[in-house]
Amino acid sequence: MWSVLWAAVRSKAPYVTFPVAFVVGLVGYHLEWFLRGDPSPTAEEEKSISEQREERKLQEIAGKDLTKVVSLKDKLEFAPRAVLNRNRPEKS
């Protein structure tokens, strides 16, 4: 008899656990909303991190002349390192 009972419980478990989990989640969501209260208006107006980063970058380059750049040939740190530096031309 116990094996039949456990087989029935095992086969009907998703139909029982989903509504229970749904109710627990719903109660927890509303309880958290009740305890925290309404969100402050400054939280909604706060800028995202990506927006803050973009504004900071714009402020950094505001006073610079962007037409004066260093040639890529002059920048040796971007050149791949050859084995024992055999293929790298020497600067004079």
Side-chain angles (χ1 to χ4, degrees):
M1 180 67 185
W2 284 106
S3 61
V4 174
L5 180 66
W6 284 116
V9 168
R10 195 177 322 127
S11 66
K12 304 296 183 192
Y15 301 110
V16 174
T17 56
F18 177 73
V20 171
F22 183 77
V23 169
V24 168
L26 194 66
V27 168
Y29 174 79
H30 287 294
L31 181 65
E32 183 179 356
W33 177 80
F34 177 73
L35 292 176
R36 285 191 178 191
D38 293 333
S40 62
T42 58
E44 295 176 359
E45 297 171 359
E46 186 176 329
K47 294 180 183 177
S48 67
I49 292 181
S50 60
E51 290 174 342
Q52 292 174 0
R53 183 182 302 128
E54 288 176 4
E55 286 183 5
R56 188 187 72 238
K57 285 182 179 180
L58 286 174
Q59 290 174 356
E60 287 176 357
I61 64 171
K64 294 182 182 177
D65 185 14
L66 298 178
T67 59
K68 296 179 182 177
V69 293
V70 180
S71 172
L72 289 177
K73 291 180 181 178
D74 295 336
K75 288 186 175 184
L76 290 178
E77 64 263 10
F78 290 110
R81 273 194 188 263
V83 177
L84 300 176
N85 290 331
R86 289 183 189 169
N87 297 333
R88 181 173 290 182
E90 293 296 326
K91 288 276 186 178
S92 52

